[in-house]
Amino acid sequence: MSARDAILNALQQASAIRISNGDTIPERPSFKVMHRDYQGHRPLSQQLESMISKVKGEVIRTSQGKLDETVQAVLREKNIKRLLLSPESPYIQSFDAFLDETRLYDEAIENWKSELFNDIEASITSTLGGIAETGTLVLWPSVSEPRLMSLVPPIHIAILYESQIQPTFWHFLRHQKWSEGMPTNALLISGPSKTADIEQTLAYGVHGPKELVVVLVEEESEE
């Protein structure tokens, strides 16, 4: 008997014992455990911030009215001079005073691959939302904001609105109605890129951004 057959037999025998003892085996998985009571967006954003901070992510809270000012402060603090933006970004004209270049992702990667991998210091992207339980950002890449924007530059600055945070991945799927239409490409980001070698030495930024900065826009009504 193979190991696979042994495991399946053990599971079948265990189910048979439970049924013989009067237990009921549900025909479909139950998600009742997910039906917890959540008190508004602020506790969810606090949970997300706590989870991201545990893996060296950085969360900076701001309001919609101070969003531009906050992003500018991040760029100054990190001494970013070459920034990558989507052609549809609202920040295209906002940082000329202290940036050497604002590069738009407006042509095929084959035409400027070296510049992207060697010269761009940071990017700013939008997010589709967040997952509080795991401290995860959800990005839905598009033609104007492709996935390389969040994968290649050493610093990834993500704009997240507090109202778009859901308690769990299950809640997020339901909220976004992905059962009616899945995205062709979605990114789940839980902190900066990290990896470890055989000696368990953890290194950041080997396969992606070394820093993740989440600019969290709080809802005005909850301030």
Side-chain angles (χ1 to χ4, degrees):
M1 178 181 297
S2 67
R4 176 180 179 276
D5 291 337
I7 293 172
L8 291 176
N9 286 338
L11 292 174
Q12 291 173 351
Q13 292 174 10
S15 297
I17 293 173
R18 289 176 58 187
I19 294 174
S20 65
N21 291 335
D23 200 356
T24 301
I25 306 299
E27 296 182 358
R28 300 181 60 185
S30 172
F31 293 99
K32 291 182 180 179
V33 67
M34 309 299 289
H35 298 170
R36 288 169 283 184
D37 185 24
Y38 294 96
Q39 304 295 326
H41 297 301
R42 189 57 47 85
L44 293 179
S45 71
Q46 292 170 343
Q47 183 181 10
L48 181 141
E49 180 178 0
S50 174
M51 297 302 293
I52 288 183
S53 299
K54 290 178 181 177
V55 292
K56 295 190 65 174
E58 184 177 359
V59 177
I60 300 174
R61 291 179 176 270
T62 188
S63 63
Q64 180 65 51
K66 296 181 179 178
L67 179 55
D68 285 12
E69 177 183 333
T70 301
V71 175
Q72 290 179 16
V74 172
L75 298 178
R76 286 195 181 94
E77 179 187 354
K78 297 185 178 297
N79 196 29
I80 295 169
K81 297 298 183 183
R82 297 175 66 86
L83 180 67
L84 179 62
L85 294 174
S86 162
E88 299 178 1
S89 171
Y91 306 108
I92 291 177
Q93 304 297 331
S94 300
F95 315 124
D96 289 346
F98 54 93
L99 289 177
D100 290 343
E101 182 183 1
T102 300
R103 183 64 161 88
L104 302 183
Y105 202 123
D106 56 359
E107 59 180 315
I109 181 61
E110 289 76 14
N111 298 332
W112 62 294
K113 183 184 297 182
S114 177
E115 180 183 358
L116 173 61
F117 280 84
N118 298 312
D119 300 330
I120 298 297
E121 297 173 313
S123 67
I124 297 177
T125 74
S126 61
T127 61
L128 187 63
I131 302 170
E133 187 176 61
T134 54
T136 301
L137 304 178
V138 183
L139 276 65
W140 190 330
S142 63
V143 174
S144 63
E145 196 173 85
R147 58 183 296 167
L148 285 180
M149 288 188 63
S150 60
L151 297 177
V152 177
I155 301 176
H156 177 204
I157 302 169
I159 310 298
L160 173 64
Y161 283 82
E162 193 173 47
S163 61
Q164 298 303 314
I165 300 174
Q166 293 294 315
T168 68
F169 187 48
W170 180 79
H171 289 91
F172 191 89
L173 295 180
R174 287 172 59 91
H175 179 71
Q176 294 292 331
K177 299 180 179 179
W178 281 9
S179 62
E180 300 175 8
M182 290 283 291
T184 56
N185 188 354
L187 297 179
L188 305 182
I189 300 174
S190 300
S193 172
K194 53 186 177 297
T195 188
D197 60 17
I198 196 171
E199 296 180 346
Q200 299 185 355
T201 300
L202 189 62
Y204 288 86
V206 177
H207 303 296
K210 188 175 184 178
E211 295 185 46
L212 172 65
V213 181
V214 180
V215 178
L216 179 58
V217 183
E218 297 180 336
E219 306 304 306
E220 301 288 347
S221 59
E222 297 191 16
E223 290 185 345

